[in-house]
């Protein structure tokens, strides 16, 4: 108790005289609130991450994540790449194939075609069936291995049909457009938004060739096979930070200053106009365009500590591009959900593992 | 052949033969535990490790992937005293991360809504 009050005294006594009644009150106040390390579990500090969406289009999203650790940013990136569930063709039955590509080759190409995966989420337990009785219309798909059915059922699988014969003399391009879903509201071939390239080429045929098959799309994750990955791109970059030491800069001559500023190959430093130099200070408007080449520091070698160029800590600029399977913002939401579920599983299983000990 | 099924890298076997989390107490070091977390990788390992290092009661925390072909990670944690066991520290860390992800999701959601209000989103090619 005594040692506790002594340490508090040093914290509060700077402005108050030793016998001030206010000070004694302060002491009492702090003593009642002082945490006792032997009973209270000091919880780790909770970070409050900040997110700003910078750009959103039909297939890409750019956002800034700050105030969190690199490990969290990286976990988010890794989950977006490999662990957000989507639908992809997993099994193919060939009825007829007289094209130049063999069955396995075509099956592989079919697998890589992005399918709309809105319903590849997590609420798999919903029992709402659609009017046609084909299957649960609102709930998410089950993993085929979790499903109670024998082989396939509408809860875990969507069937696609393809039946094409080349009857004309010209070359026939069979694209993903020919792949017809049995249940379009649940899962169908994703269509690109770039006109004539909106559909994906599967095989080219000449007159007389035919291709007839049934394909079964199922839910999976990119970790098992890349065809289930929802992203073309999921990257984060650090933001460069440039800090000028004004003391050192003040010692430089006008010529040296100009030399230092001109060293930047992107001319990002202010003042941009040579006539304005030397200014009292230089700063950068677009530090994010700095490529951390450090040419400026190299040029100003004789002035150590002139500037600090580094990655801004706890600041990440994400770019996520979708394959078309999921809207880009959905990918982010689902990735957060997947991460959370992982942690919750570990938390729950850890409790039982600790009990076993 | 001997190759395990592709899905084995992320799914536990259906027969519960593999526990998700198992614990090995360190016999030589006090307040130290090695947790083996099955079917997880650097994604979770590094995040947990860094979170544990934020905790004042934790004096050591590290993870490794013992074998690149086996989908499991090992997380070693040592705490300062018996008052906070390594398991409690991990639980607190996991809880903090879950809370952080909740904040992250909510802020992403509100920022997204704001962005959509600012610029009417272009027609979407897919849901």
């Amino acid at each position: 108790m005594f040692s506790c009050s002594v340490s508090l005294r040093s914290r509060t006594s700077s402005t108050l005289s030793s016998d001030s009644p206010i000070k004694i009150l302060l002491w009492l106040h702090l003593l009642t609130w002082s945490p006792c390390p032997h009973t209270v579990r000091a919880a780790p500090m909770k970070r409050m991450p900040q997110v700003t969406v910078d750009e959103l289009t039909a297939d890409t999203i750019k956002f800034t994540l700050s105030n969190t650790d690199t490990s969290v940013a990286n976990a988010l990136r890794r989950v977006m790449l490999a662990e957000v569930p989507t639908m992809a063709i997993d099994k193919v039955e060939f009825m007829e194939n007289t094209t130049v590509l063999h069955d396995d080759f075509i099956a592989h190409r079919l697998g890589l075609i992005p399918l709309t995966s809105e319903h590849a989420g997590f609420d798999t337990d919903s029992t709402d069936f659609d009017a046609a009785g084909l299957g649960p219309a609102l709930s998410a798909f089950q993993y085929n291995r979790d499903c109670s059915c024998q082989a396939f059922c509408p809860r875990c699988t969507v069937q696609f049909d393809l039946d094409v014969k080349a009857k004309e003399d010209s070359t026939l391009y069979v694209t993903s457009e020919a792949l017809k879903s049995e249940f379009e509201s649940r899962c169908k071939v994703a269509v690109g938004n770039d006109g004539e390239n909106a559909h994906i080429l599967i095989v080219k045929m000449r007159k007389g060739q035919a291709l007839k098959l049934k394909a079964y799309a199922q839910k999976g994750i990119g970790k098992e096979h890349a065809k289930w990955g929802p992203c073309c791109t999921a990257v984060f970059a650090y933001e460069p930070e440039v800090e000028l030491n004004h003391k050192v800069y003040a010692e430089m001559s006008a010529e040296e200053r100009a030399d230092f500023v001109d060293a930047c190959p992107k001319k990002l430093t202010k003042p941009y106009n040579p006539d304005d130099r030397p200014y009292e200070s230089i700063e950068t408007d677009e530090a994010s365009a700095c490529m951390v080449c450090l040419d400026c520091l190299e040029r100003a070698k004789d002035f150590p500590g002139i500037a600090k160029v580094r990655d801004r800590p706890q600041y990440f600029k994400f770019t996520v591009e979708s394959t078309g399977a999921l809207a880009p913002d959905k990918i982010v939401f689902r990735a957060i959900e997947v991460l959370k579920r992982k942690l919750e599983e570990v938390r729950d299983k850890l409790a039982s593992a600790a009990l076993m000990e | 052949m001997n190759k395990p099924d592709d899905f084995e890298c992320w799914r536990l076997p259906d027969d519960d033969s593999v526990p998700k989390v198992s614990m090995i107490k360190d016999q030589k070091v006090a307040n130290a535990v090695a947790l083996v977390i099955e079917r997880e990788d650097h994604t979770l390992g590094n995040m947990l490790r860094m979170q544990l290092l934020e905790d004042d009661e934790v004096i050591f925390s590290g993870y490794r992937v013992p074998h690149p072909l086996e989908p499991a990670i090992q997380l070693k944690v040592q705490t300062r005293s018996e008052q906070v066991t390594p398991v409690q520290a991990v639980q607190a860390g996991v809880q903090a991360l879950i809370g952080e992800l909740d904040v992250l999701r909510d802020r992403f959601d509100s920022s997204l809504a704001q962005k959509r209000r600012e610029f009417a989103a272009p027609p979407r090619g897919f849901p």
Side-chain angles (χ1 to χ4, degrees):
Chain A
M1 206 50 144
F2 181 68
S3 67
C4 190
S5 64
V6 166
S7 71
L8 285 169
R9 180 186 189 137
S10 63
R11 236 184 277 162
T12 55
S13 60
S14 55
T15 53
L16 299 163
S17 66
S18 60
D19 48 11
S20 156
I22 304 167
K23 183 184 169 188
I24 292 160
L25 269 178
L26 249 177
W27 271 19
L28 285 172
H29 176 74
L30 286 171
L31 277 176
T32 51
W33 282 97
S34 66
C36 182
H38 295 296
T39 53
V40 181
R41 165 85 183 83
M45 198 180 66
K46 196 175 156 193
R47 293 180 295 250
M48 296 297 268
Q50 295 281 340
V51 191
T52 322
V53 177
D54 303 318
E55 207 182 307
L56 177 68
T57 66
D59 51 13
T60 57
I61 186 168
K62 290 184 178 181
F63 63 97
T64 307
L65 175 66
S66 57
N67 216 353
T68 190
D69 192 69
T70 316
S71 60
V72 175
N74 196 40
L76 186 63
R77 181 191 66 86
R78 284 175 64 99
V79 167
M80 285 193 288
L81 275 175
E83 293 185 66
V84 172
T86 63
M87 300 295 286
I89 288 170
D90 198 30
K91 297 173 176 91
V92 185
E93 262 177 60
F94 285 87
M95 264 70 84
E96 189 180 2
N97 178 14
T98 49
T99 66
V100 288
L101 302 185
H102 55 254
D103 293 4
D104 311 56
F105 199 120
I106 291 175
H108 179 245
R109 289 182 69 77
L110 290 173
L112 296 171
I113 294 171
L115 310 176
T116 57
S117 304
E118 188 69 3
H119 292 281
F122 308 103
D123 53 340
T124 51
D125 298 330
S126 167
T127 49
D128 297 309
F129 275 72
D130 87 318
L134 271 168
L138 297 172
S139 77
F141 285 106
Q142 296 268 15
Y143 287 112
N144 182 238
R145 290 177 209 98
D146 288 338
C147 195
S148 51
C149 63
Q150 290 289 317
F152 312 129
C153 76
R155 276 183 180 280
C156 61
T157 308
V158 173
Q159 189 188 319
F160 285 80
D161 289 300
L162 188 144
D163 187 2
V164 185
K165 272 194 180 72
K167 290 169 185 158
E168 315 251 319
D169 279 333
S170 57
T171 308
L172 179 67
Y173 287 63
V174 182
T175 65
S176 57
E177 199 179 8
L179 206 54
K180 297 291 178 221
S181 168
E182 292 259 280
F183 203 166
E184 292 217 333
S185 62
R186 294 268 282 160
C187 178
K188 60 174 194 270
V189 174
V191 181
N193 45 14
D194 51 348
E196 60 183 41
N197 295 322
H199 300 286
I200 297 163
L201 181 65
I202 299 167
V203 62
K204 291 182 192 175
M205 286 184 187
R206 66 175 292 180
K207 194 177 179 183
Q209 294 180 341
L211 180 63
K212 189 178 179 191
L213 56 86
K214 276 184 190 166
Y216 301 96
Q218 290 174 341
K219 185 166 123 178
I221 64 169
K223 221 180 185 184
E224 182 175 335
H225 191 290
K227 68 185 175 186
W228 277 298
C231 300
C232 292
T233 311
V235 293
F236 69 79
Y238 300 99
E239 169 128 311
E241 195 177 52
V242 184
E243 198 184 296
L244 183 78
N245 186 332
H246 295 273
K247 255 190 191 166
V248 180
Y249 192 66
E251 289 168 9
M252 293 167 100
S253 71
E255 218 167 69
E256 285 162 342
R257 287 181 190 187
D259 197 36
F260 169 67
V261 171
D262 285 339
C264 182
K266 292 202 160 188
K267 301 284 179 286
L268 297 168
T269 40
K270 271 181 176 177
Y272 300 117
N273 183 357
D275 296 336
D276 295 344
R277 277 181 218 127
Y279 261 11
E280 271 305 295
S281 67
I282 55 166
E283 50 191 292
T284 64
D285 254 358
E286 301 164 77
S288 59
C290 171
M291 47 191 188
V292 201
C293 64
L294 305 185
D295 279 1
C296 50
L297 298 188
E298 187 66 23
R299 191 71 68 87
K301 244 193 222 156
D302 300 336
F303 300 90
I306 173 75
K308 272 183 195 156
V309 181
R310 61 185 168 208
D311 291 327
R312 190 169 160 189
Q314 304 206 336
Y315 196 91
F316 314 100
K317 303 203 109 174
F318 274 81
T319 305
V320 179
E321 199 179 322
S322 164
T323 58
L326 273 174
D329 49 307
K330 277 268 157 53
I331 295 175
V332 181
F333 278 122
R334 294 217 173 144
I336 296 170
E337 180 72 28
V338 169
L339 256 185
K340 222 181 112 185
R341 279 165 187 260
K342 273 175 176 293
L343 287 162
E344 280 165 355
E345 192 183 5
V346 169
R347 180 190 62 190
D348 299 343
K349 298 289 161 62
L350 183 63
S352 54
L355 277 179
M356 299 248 292
E357 273 299 308
Chain B
M1 299 293 270
N2 289 325
K3 183 177 175 280
D5 288 320
D6 288 338
F7 58 82
E8 295 256 315
C9 71
W10 62 280
R11 282 176 68 98
L12 288 167
D14 292 332
D15 58 2
D16 291 334
S17 56
V18 180
K20 180 77 184 173
V21 181
S22 48
M23 212 161 78
I24 308 156
K25 271 195 179 149
D26 200 312
Q27 302 299 325
K28 290 175 186 162
V29 187
N31 306 317
V33 144
L35 294 171
V36 176
I37 308 177
E38 277 292 335
R39 306 299 187 262
E40 292 296 349
D41 58 12
H42 300 279
T43 305
L44 199 77
N46 191 36
M47 198 167 66
L48 269 179
R49 172 186 79 110
M50 294 308 284
Q51 182 63 39
L52 285 165
L53 291 174
E54 302 265 307
D55 193 336
D56 289 340
E57 293 295 322
V58 173
I59 51 178
F60 179 86
S61 126
Y63 85 101
R64 64 180 186 146
V65 179
H67 193 285
L69 296 180
E70 285 161 10
I73 54 167
Q74 205 183 58
L75 182 72
K76 282 194 174 184
V77 188
Q78 188 189 1
T79 52
R80 198 174 295 282
S81 67
E82 278 171 23
Q83 305 304 323
V84 177
T85 65
V87 172
Q88 281 173 328
V90 175
Q91 271 165 339
V94 167
Q95 203 56 47
L97 281 172
I98 290 174
E100 189 176 336
L101 287 173
D102 281 335
V103 174
L104 181 55
R105 190 199 46 222
D106 293 345
R107 298 217 167 142
F108 181 75
D109 200 12
S110 56
S111 177
L112 192 69
Q114 196 191 340
K115 192 76 191 168
R116 287 225 170 98
R117 276 197 302 275
E118 276 173 28
F119 307 97
R124 320 187 71 176
F126 41 84

